[in-house]
Amino acid sequence: MTDLASRGAPHAAPTAAHPKRVRLHPFGLDGAPTLLISLTTGAALIGLWFLVSWLRLVPPLFLPGPEEVLTQFLAILDDGYAGATLGEHVSASLFRISTAALLAASFGIPLGLAMGLNRWVKGVFDTPIEFYWPLPPLAYLPLMIIWLGIGELSKIVLLTLAMFAPICLSAQAGVRSLPIERVNAALSLGATRWQLFLDIVLPSALPEILTGLRIGIGVGWSTLVAAELIAATRGIGFMIMSASHFLAADVVFVGIGVIAAWAFAFSYGMRLLERALVPWKGKS
Amino acid sequence: MLHVHNASVFFSARDGRVVHALDRATLDIDANSVVVALGASGCGKSTLLNAIAGFLPLSDGSITLDGQPVDRPGADRGVVFQKDTLLPWKSVLDNVALGLKFAGVPARDRRERANELLRMVGLDGFAHSAPHELSGGMRQRVGIARALATDPKILLMDEPFGALDSLTREQMQELLVDVWARTGKRIFFITHSIEEALFLGTTVVVMSPRPGRIVARFDLDFVRRFAQERDVRAILSDPRFAELYDEIRNLVHRPHDRSHEGGDRPQ
């Protein structure tokens, strides 16, 4: 065996062991990995931040250095901010976002499905949704305060409204992406209307619904600061607004960092959920 | 017996014109027969199948299955589509068992029946695969098993092998003959391949477009012979096969003389 292999080696080795592997010339991204580039960019940005604050190119009042922000973060972690611990601020915001997401999903998904299936539901709800959903939440924020007061309710309703539209619209798109052959196949297998909905329409729309949820939650985070403008005493958004009144840019940076971290975690969680619930996505 | 009587279908095209998709088609599909509709695209063969399946109402005429008028889709007519319509979120087994689930068959019984059907189409061992893990030919096998699961009175097949490569296609044709011989199902099969039509049909109806109509009908026995002797070469080298091939080829390609039929062509 060894003999044969070593004798064969001089002929086979240079080409068979390290053949020059080729592939079609790619166009665009073509699945090329970007992680390393992204990490490098992140490191470069932080390095630039260091450099700018170290050279005092911008007064620290406007742009605190990374080490200041870190110190401030640790200080808030220890002592809290404005009468509440960081944990209390975060959980207040999380509670609002989660409640609003739950409400938006439990109204938006059924309504979106119904709008995709029924002419009347679509006709009736299209106008109000198309009217309100491009509005910036800050524009109808005063109305929320006038109508619903300054308690928890107006904050949650504001967030719910912001999240509702993308969730509802994507559920609707999910129904519309359902191929008619799939419906016909189910009908010729004897499906009743209810079975058709449960076994065909709903799972077919699920990938789009999950995309809508992900977008909705993203919109929720970006609306959080607006919602917590309303007479809040807790919440990350409140922390940022309150800090801005005292020109405490380092606290603002801490708040932004916390929101970014949580928004990223939510988005990542949704991706995992997608992978678990719709593993077939993009494969058929 | 499936009985199509004087079935006509008019569509409105996108530009508002009327399209005469099917013109007074009359067709009987008896027990144990394979009726193949053959024709170029636009000849109304898919329209006819969609009407029999109940996906499409007729403008005129009637379709009955064992005396019952056909006016909507139902589990008594199993359909195999050209494009596979398997559910990507269900395993192969659950796809095959779908019709039984709709019918309320208990999970254990339907799994047993689905496994039996998978064996028949040569897919035992793939019960727990996902549809996207299978090749095109294998998916059509699943499609056939799924359509058979509810024990329909007739199998409707809309160019089921049209998207397959020619080698797979031959295998699938032989598989279909096996299934037919074993289950005795009557089959309505659509194709634009003359060879496929001759090989599979106990009856071949040739259709011609604008308006879609049946222009000729041939009763054949190649498929019965193949079911018994299982010798493809003997059939392909049969001089009658070649003769019929030429005759049908001429029919399909000849522009039809409609002068004696009156001016029923839509403007």
Side-chain angles (χ1 to χ4, degrees), chain A residues 4 9 25 30 38 41 54 71-72 75 84 98-99 102 106 110 117 126 135 156 187 202 211 248 254 269:
Chain A
L4 262 176
H25 290 298
D30 196 40
S38 305
T41 310
W54 186 62
T71 317
Q72 188 58 256
S98 312
T99 311
L102 217 64
S106 45
L117 293 168
D126 226 9
L135 297 176
I156 288 172
L187 289 175
L202 204 57
T211 306
V254 171

CSV table of all heavy atoms in Angstrom, one decimal, chain A residues 4 9 25 30 38 41 54 71-72 75 84 98-99 102 106 110 117 126 135 156 187 202 211 248 254 269:
chain,number,residue,atom,x,y,z
A,4,LEU,N,2.8,1.6,-3.2
A,4,LEU,CA,2.0,2.0,-4.3
A,4,LEU,C,1.8,3.5,-4.2
A,4,LEU,O,1.9,4.2,-5.2
A,4,LEU,CB,0.7,1.2,-4.3
A,4,LEU,CG,0.6,0.0,-5.2
A,4,LEU,CD1,-0.7,-0.7,-5.0
A,4,LEU,CD2,0.8,0.5,-6.7
A,9,ALA,N,2.7,8.9,-6.1
A,9,ALA,CA,2.7,10.3,-5.7
A,9,ALA,C,3.3,11.3,-6.7
A,9,ALA,O,2.7,12.3,-7.0
A,9,ALA,CB,3.4,10.4,-4.3
A,25,HIS,N,-17.2,33.4,-13.1
A,25,HIS,CA,-17.0,34.7,-12.6
A,25,HIS,C,-18.3,35.2,-11.9
A,25,HIS,O,-19.4,35.2,-12.5
A,25,HIS,CB,-16.7,35.7,-13.8
A,25,HIS,CG,-15.3,35.4,-14.4
A,25,HIS,ND1,-14.2,35.5,-13.6
A,25,HIS,CD2,-14.9,35.0,-15.6
A,25,HIS,CE1,-13.1,35.2,-14.4
A,25,HIS,NE2,-13.6,34.8,-15.6
A,30,ASP,N,-22.8,37.9,-4.5
A,30,ASP,CA,-22.6,36.4,-4.8
A,30,ASP,C,-22.2,35.7,-3.5
A,30,ASP,O,-21.4,34.8,-3.5
A,30,ASP,CB,-21.5,36.2,-5.9
A,30,ASP,CG,-21.6,34.8,-6.4
A,30,ASP,OD1,-22.8,34.3,-6.6
A,30,ASP,OD2,-20.6,34.2,-6.6
A,38,SER,N,-16.8,43.9,8.0
A,38,SER,CA,-17.7,44.6,8.9
A,38,SER,C,-17.0,44.8,10.3
A,38,SER,O,-17.0,45.9,10.9
A,38,SER,CB,-19.0,43.9,9.1
A,38,SER,OG,-19.6,43.6,7.9
A,41,THR,N,-14.3,47.5,10.0
A,41,THR,CA,-15.0,48.8,9.9
A,41,THR,C,-15.3,49.3,11.3
A,41,THR,O,-15.1,50.4,11.7
A,41,THR,CB,-16.2,48.8,9.0
A,41,THR,OG1,-15.8,48.1,7.8
A,41,THR,CG2,-16.7,50.1,8.8
A,54,TRP,N,-9.1,62.0,21.7
A,54,TRP,CA,-7.8,62.2,22.2
A,54,TRP,C,-7.1,63.4,21.7
A,54,TRP,O,-6.4,64.1,22.4
A,54,TRP,CB,-7.0,60.9,21.8
A,54,TRP,CG,-5.6,60.8,22.5
A,54,TRP,CD1,-5.3,60.7,23.8
A,54,TRP,CD2,-4.4,60.8,21.8
A,54,TRP,NE1,-4.0,60.7,24.0
A,54,TRP,CE2,-3.4,60.7,22.7
A,54,TRP,CE3,-4.0,60.9,20.4
A,54,TRP,CZ2,-2.0,60.7,22.4
A,54,TRP,CZ3,-2.7,60.8,20.1
A,54,TRP,CH2,-1.7,60.7,21.1
A,71,THR,N,-17.0,54.7,31.4
A,71,THR,CA,-17.0,55.1,32.8
A,71,THR,C,-18.5,55.5,33.2
A,71,THR,O,-19.0,55.0,34.3
A,71,THR,CB,-16.1,56.3,33.1
A,71,THR,OG1,-14.9,56.1,32.4
A,71,THR,CG2,-15.8,56.5,34.6
A,72,GLN,N,-19.1,56.3,32.4
A,72,GLN,CA,-20.5,56.7,32.7
A,72,GLN,C,-21.4,55.5,32.7
A,72,GLN,O,-22.3,55.4,33.6
A,72,GLN,CB,-20.9,57.7,31.6
A,72,GLN,CG,-22.2,58.4,31.9
A,72,GLN,CD,-22.3,59.1,33.2
A,72,GLN,OE1,-22.8,58.6,34.2
A,72,GLN,NE2,-21.6,60.3,33.2
A,75,ALA,N,-20.9,53.8,35.9
A,75,ALA,CA,-21.5,54.6,36.9
A,75,ALA,C,-23.0,54.4,37.0
A,75,ALA,O,-23.6,54.2,38.1
A,75,ALA,CB,-21.1,56.0,36.7
A,84,ALA,N,-33.6,55.9,39.1
A,84,ALA,CA,-33.9,54.5,38.8
A,84,ALA,C,-32.6,53.8,38.3
A,84,ALA,O,-31.8,54.4,37.7
A,84,ALA,CB,-35.0,54.4,37.7
A,98,SER,N,-42.5,45.2,24.3
A,98,SER,CA,-43.1,43.9,24.2
A,98,SER,C,-44.6,43.9,24.2
A,98,SER,O,-45.3,43.2,23.4
A,98,SER,CB,-42.6,43.0,25.4
A,98,SER,OG,-41.2,43.1,25.5
A,99,THR,N,-45.2,44.7,25.1
A,99,THR,CA,-46.7,44.8,25.1
A,99,THR,C,-47.2,45.3,23.8
A,99,THR,O,-48.1,44.7,23.2
A,99,THR,CB,-47.1,45.7,26.3
A,99,THR,OG1,-46.4,45.4,27.5
A,99,THR,CG2,-48.6,45.6,26.5
A,102,LEU,N,-46.9,42.7,21.1
A,102,LEU,CA,-47.9,41.6,21.3
A,102,LEU,C,-49.3,42.1,20.8
A,102,LEU,O,-50.0,41.4,20.0
A,102,LEU,CB,-48.0,41.3,22.8
A,102,LEU,CG,-48.3,39.8,23.1
A,102,LEU,CD1,-47.1,39.0,22.6
A,102,LEU,CD2,-48.5,39.7,24.6
A,106,SER,N,-51.2,40.8,17.5
A,106,SER,CA,-52.5,40.0,17.7
A,106,SER,C,-53.6,40.8,16.9
A,106,SER,O,-54.6,40.2,16.6
A,106,SER,CB,-52.8,39.8,19.1
A,106,SER,OG,-52.6,40.9,19.9
A,110,PRO,N,-54.1,39.0,12.1
A,110,PRO,CA,-55.5,38.5,11.7
A,110,PRO,C,-56.1,39.5,10.7
A,110,PRO,O,-56.6,39.1,9.6
A,110,PRO,CB,-56.3,38.5,12.9
A,110,PRO,CG,-55.4,38.4,14.0
A,110,PRO,CD,-54.1,39.1,13.6
A,117,LEU,N,-57.6,38.3,2.0
A,117,LEU,CA,-58.6,37.3,1.6
A,117,LEU,C,-59.9,37.9,1.2
A,117,LEU,O,-60.6,37.3,0.4
A,117,LEU,CB,-58.8,36.3,2.7
A,117,LEU,CG,-57.6,35.4,3.1
A,117,LEU,CD1,-57.9,34.6,4.4
A,117,LEU,CD2,-57.4,34.4,1.9
A,126,ASP,N,-58.0,49.6,4.1
A,126,ASP,CA,-56.9,50.1,3.3
A,126,ASP,C,-56.7,51.6,3.5
A,126,ASP,O,-55.6,52.1,3.8
A,126,ASP,CB,-57.2,49.9,1.8
A,126,ASP,CG,-55.9,49.3,1.2
A,126,ASP,OD1,-55.0,49.0,1.9
A,126,ASP,OD2,-55.9,49.2,-0.1
A,135,LEU,N,-47.2,58.6,8.5
A,135,LEU,CA,-47.0,59.7,9.4
A,135,LEU,C,-45.9,59.4,10.4
A,135,LEU,O,-45.8,58.2,11.0
A,135,LEU,CB,-48.3,59.9,10.2
A,135,LEU,CG,-49.5,60.4,9.4
A,135,LEU,CD1,-50.7,60.5,10.4
A,135,LEU,CD2,-49.3,61.7,8.7
A,156,ILE,N,-47.9,53.1,25.1
A,156,ILE,CA,-48.0,51.7,24.5
A,156,ILE,C,-48.9,51.9,23.2
A,156,ILE,O,-48.5,51.2,22.2
A,156,ILE,CB,-48.6,50.7,25.5
A,156,ILE,CG1,-47.6,50.4,26.5
A,156,ILE,CG2,-49.1,49.5,24.8
A,156,ILE,CD1,-48.0,49.6,27.7
A,187,LEU,N,-57.7,22.2,-2.7
A,187,LEU,CA,-59.2,22.0,-3.0
A,187,LEU,C,-59.4,20.6,-3.6
A,187,LEU,O,-60.4,20.0,-3.3
A,187,LEU,CB,-59.7,23.1,-3.8
A,187,LEU,CG,-59.8,24.5,-3.2
A,187,LEU,CD1,-60.2,25.5,-4.2
A,187,LEU,CD2,-60.7,24.5,-2.0
A,202,LEU,N,-52.2,30.1,6.0
A,202,LEU,CA,-51.5,30.5,7.1
A,202,LEU,C,-50.0,30.2,7.0
A,202,LEU,O,-49.1,31.0,7.1
A,202,LEU,CB,-52.1,30.0,8.4
A,202,LEU,CG,-51.8,30.7,9.7
A,202,LEU,CD1,-52.3,32.2,9.5
A,202,LEU,CD2,-52.6,30.1,10.8
A,211,THR,N,-41.2,38.3,8.7
A,211,THR,CA,-40.4,39.5,8.3
A,211,THR,C,-41.1,40.8,8.8
A,211,THR,O,-40.4,41.7,9.2
A,211,THR,CB,-40.4,39.5,6.7
A,211,THR,OG1,-39.9,38.2,6.3
A,211,THR,CG2,-39.5,40.6,6.2
A,248,ALA,N,-25.7,66.2,29.0
A,248,ALA,CA,-24.9,65.0,29.4
A,248,ALA,C,-24.7,64.1,28.2
A,248,ALA,O,-25.3,63.0,28.2
A,248,ALA,CB,-25.5,64.3,30.6
A,254,VAL,N,-24.5,56.4,26.3
A,254,VAL,CA,-24.8,55.2,27.0
A,254,VAL,C,-26.2,54.7,26.6
A,254,VAL,O,-26.4,53.5,26.2
A,254,VAL,CB,-24.8,55.3,28.5
A,254,VAL,CG1,-25.3,54.1,29.2
A,254,VAL,CG2,-23.3,55.6,28.9
A,269,GLY,N,-32.8,37.5,17.6
A,269,GLY,CA,-33.8,36.5,18.1
A,269,GLY,C,-34.9,36.2,17.0
A,269,GLY,O,-35.3,35.0,16.8
